């Protein structure tokens, strides 16, 4: 308040509204009396909203207003939104689970992944993966599991406001008897071996036992190779 206009200033502060040229009939603060500077705390605002504000001062002659200023409040920040995908590629000790961070809650995602435990509602204090930052889908590789065990898993995402979790999924790791084996016959000796399919590759599930004809210690040669 730079001048009292010749009459004591009986009220001063700021007034604001979402419409231009707010007056003391709108929301306002009361910051004492007299001339001089003051600071008003504007409260009760809505997030992500444009407001207009003017200082005011009142004496016996009426109320005067300062120039209008405008500002916009920040968007409200919250924890992220994340969903848990399907459990796939289950083996005796590993599995895969996807997640999808659908909203950052108004603050940057600083970590995302999945967490799991043998108890329900796992959190990031249990076992977890870390699959980068930002929005979108990702796939986590869950490792170090025990065979024939039930696990609970949830996707998670963290921003400055905290950590949010997706819905809980459950799965059970395989036992050795759950694995579907194929077979391979070695045409050289007719031995049949177990095979297992991992992804799109077929692997032998037991060691190769092929050996050419073997001779006893009585057979010897300095020119022909033999297997003993």
């Amino acid at each position: 308040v730079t001048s009292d206009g010749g009459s004591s200033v009986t009220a001063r502060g700021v007034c604001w509204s979402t419409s231009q040229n707010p007056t003391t009939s709108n929301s306002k603060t009361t910051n004492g009396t007299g001339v001089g500077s003051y600071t008003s705390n504007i409260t009760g605002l809505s997030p992500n909203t444009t407001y207009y504000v003017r200082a005011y001062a009142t004496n016996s002659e009426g109320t005067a207003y300062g120039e209008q200023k405008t500002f916009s409040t920040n968007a409200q920040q919250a924890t992220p939104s994340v969903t848990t995908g399907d459990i796939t590629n289950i083996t005796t000790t590993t599995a895969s689970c996807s997640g999808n961070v659908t909203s950052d809650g108004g603050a940057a995602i600083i970590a995302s992944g999945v967490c799991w435990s043998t108890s329900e509602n796992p959190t990031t204090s249990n076992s977890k993966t870390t699959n980068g930052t930002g929005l979108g889908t990702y796939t986590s590789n869950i490792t170090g599991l025990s065979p024939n065990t039930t696990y609970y898993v949830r996707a998670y995402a963290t921003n400055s406001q905290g950590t949010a979790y997706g819905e809980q999924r459950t799965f059970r790791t395989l036992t050795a008897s759950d694995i579907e084996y194929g077979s391979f016959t070695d045409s050289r000796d007719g031995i049949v071996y177990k095979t297992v399919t991992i992804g799109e590759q077929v692997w032998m599930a037991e060691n190769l036992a092929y050996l050419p004809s073997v001779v006893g210690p009585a057979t010897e040669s300095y020119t022909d190779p033999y297997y003993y």
Side-chain angles (χ1 to χ4, degrees):
V1 180
T2 56
S3 171
D4 62 9
S7 179
S8 297
V9 173
T10 56
R12 65 185 188 178
V14 300
C15 52
W16 67 93
S17 173
T18 54
S19 300
Q20 295 198 40
N21 300 315
T23 68
T24 54
S25 62
N26 299 118
S27 299
K28 68 177 181 179
T29 64
T30 302
N31 295 91
T33 60
V35 296
S37 61
Y38 55 91
T39 298
S40 298
N41 294 318
I42 303 173
T43 60
L45 305 179
S46 298
N48 198 31
T49 302
T50 297
Y51 286 92
Y52 302 92
V53 60
R54 295 195 296 178
Y56 75 90
T58 301
N59 66 8
S60 59
E61 299 301 310
T63 298
Y65 297 93
E67 62 271 38
Q68 177 175 271
K69 304 290 186 180
T70 184
F71 67 94
S72 294
T73 51
N74 293 330
Q76 186 173 12
Q77 293 185 341
T79 55
S81 296
V82 59
T83 60
T84 308
D86 295 330
I87 308 295
T88 59
N89 301 324
I90 301 171
T91 72
T92 53
T93 59
T94 63
S96 297
C97 180
S98 61
N100 184 15
V101 183
T102 58
S103 171
D104 62 11
I109 301 295
I110 56 178
S112 63
V114 301
C115 52
W116 66 92
S117 173
T118 54
S119 300
E120 294 196 41
N121 300 316
T123 69
T124 53
S125 62
N126 299 119
S127 299
K128 67 177 180 179
T129 63
T130 302
N131 293 90
T133 59
L135 299 173
T137 60
Y138 55 88
T139 299
S140 299
N141 295 317
I142 303 172
T143 59
L145 307 178
S146 298
N148 195 30
T149 303
T150 297
Y151 286 91
Y152 302 92
V153 60
R154 296 195 294 177
Y156 75 89
T158 302
N159 66 8
S160 59
Q161 300 301 303
T163 298
Y165 297 92
E167 57 272 43
Q168 178 175 271
R169 307 289 188 192
T170 184
F171 69 97
R172 190 175 187 86
T173 51
L174 301 181
T175 64
S177 61
D178 292 323
I179 299 175
E180 296 183 3
Y181 291 104
S183 65
F184 162 72
T185 302
D186 192 335
S187 60
R188 296 170 295 182
D189 56 11
I191 295 179
V192 180
Y193 298 93
K194 290 181 179 179
T195 63
V196 63
T197 300
I198 303 175
E200 297 181 353
Q201 297 179 327
V202 178
W203 292 75
M204 293 188 70
E206 53 185 328
N207 290 334
L208 182 68
Y210 175 75
L211 189 66
S213 58
V214 176
V215 300
T219 302
E220 59 180 319
S221 173
Y222 292 100
T223 57
D224 296 324
Y226 291 104
Y227 290 91
Y228 292 91

